[in-house]
Amino acid sequence: DAGVHSKAWYAATCDRKMAEDALYQSNKDGSFLIRKSSGQDSKQPYTLVVFYNRRVYNIPIRFIEATRQYALGREKSGEERFDSVAEIVENHQRTSLVLIDSQSNTKDSTKLKHIVRVS
């Protein structure tokens, strides 16, 4: 189960709108949570939701069947792969996560700093 269910940052019953509302309320750069993806697709089981610069980013977490690993966003060459979703979170608490705005194609980056709990 990717080791997510016992984690404070995992919002099991949260949909996209609830996640975005909770992050806008936190209003802190680097606020984040992980929710189940809307599509319930086994290849993209979770979504990392991050708040930065007054915006919310929904970043798909892909499951790579061949290696049984996880990766963020669209598939790209040389991408970072992780053995669990928890490893993705731990990694990006230490190193910045690149946020790409799909509308304006600008890039920002932030670390995952503040866990947001959805009640």
Side-chain angles (χ1 to χ4, degrees):
D1 72 342
V4 297
H5 293 284
S6 60
K7 302 295 187 194
W9 40 253
Y10 181 59
T13 56
C14 178
D15 62 18
R16 180 175 183 142
K17 179 163 177 10
M18 283 167 66
E20 290 181 357
D21 290 349
L23 287 169
Y24 281 122
Q25 280 170 355
S26 81
N27 201 24
K28 286 204 278 272
D29 284 352
S31 295
F32 75 99
L33 60 81
I34 286 181
R35 63 176 175 81
K36 277 190 177 136
S37 287
S38 317
Q40 289 302 305
D41 181 352
S42 63
K43 291 186 180 63
Q44 189 186 305
Y46 303 105
T47 301
L48 169 60
V49 192
V50 182
F51 182 88
Y52 184 75
N53 202 10
R54 300 190 303 280
R55 303 229 9 220
V56 171
Y57 295 83
N58 284 277
I59 305 163
I61 298 176
R62 284 181 298 111
F63 179 64
I64 302 152
E65 192 68 50
T67 58
R68 320 272 319 147
Q69 287 176 305
Y70 295 88
L72 288 172
R74 277 193 223 106
E75 193 169 345
K76 49 212 164 295
S77 63
E79 68 187 358
E80 284 187 282
R81 293 180 172 188
F82 301 91
D83 293 328
S84 68
V85 174
E87 267 184 42
I88 292 176
V89 172
E90 286 155 19
N91 179 64
H92 290 298
Q93 285 174 323
R94 292 188 306 267
T95 62
S96 288
L97 170 69
V98 176
L99 304 168
I100 297 169
D101 180 336
S102 52
Q103 279 135 0
S104 64
N105 218 5
T106 52
K107 285 186 181 180
D108 270 313
S109 67
T110 185
K111 290 181 182 168
L112 301 179
K113 296 181 204 145
H114 312 285
I115 296 170
V116 173
R117 291 173 181 268
V118 181
S119 46

